[in-house]
Amino acid sequence: MRISRTPQQEIHRQLLEVFEQAKYPLTNPVELIPVLPDGAAITFQADGVTLGAMELGIEYAEYQDYPYEDVNSLVADLMTGLRDDDVFEYSPPK
């Protein structure tokens, strides 16, 4: 049985999966680049939502509060930024 996730849940899952590979504590976002499967070109995708690693690092920098002691804190801050920016708001196709 396949579990159905919302785009928000799926992006959260993907971010955790990738960023948990980093060695914590992290003191800056550059330390995440080695764990990105496609380097800085990686994208996180879920049902019409596409986010690049560079986009997360630059456009949501104000939500990041380094150093991070664990993956959950990092991902929670990124998800707060995405929600505040209404990234997960549904817009029906025109």
Side-chain angles (χ1 to χ4, degrees):
M1 180 176 188
R2 187 173 162 214
I3 298 173
S4 179
R5 294 182 179 101
T6 65
Q8 182 172 332
Q9 291 168 326
E10 180 58 21
I11 293 293
H12 184 268
R13 184 196 67 76
Q14 291 176 30
L15 293 174
L16 281 175
E17 184 177 288
V18 170
F19 294 145
E20 74 184 355
Q21 305 302 314
K23 293 186 190 230
Y24 291 84
L26 296 174
T27 58
N28 66 68
V30 174
E31 295 174 272
L32 292 168
I33 294 173
V35 302
L36 300 174
D38 296 325
I42 189 172
T43 56
F44 301 93
Q45 299 178 340
D47 196 25
V49 175
T50 301
L51 303 162
M54 293 300 293
E55 176 184 359
L56 287 172
I58 295 169
E59 292 183 27
Y60 298 96
E62 67 187 84
Y63 290 94
Q64 298 169 46
D65 188 21
Y66 286 88
Y68 283 101
E69 298 296 323
D70 60 75
V71 67
N72 292 319
S73 300
L74 170 63
V75 172
D77 284 352
L78 291 171
M79 293 300 294
T80 296
L82 296 172
R83 283 190 299 271
D84 285 356
D85 207 22
D86 294 327
V87 168
F88 302 110
E89 290 296 312
Y90 175 73
S91 297
K94 294 180 179 181

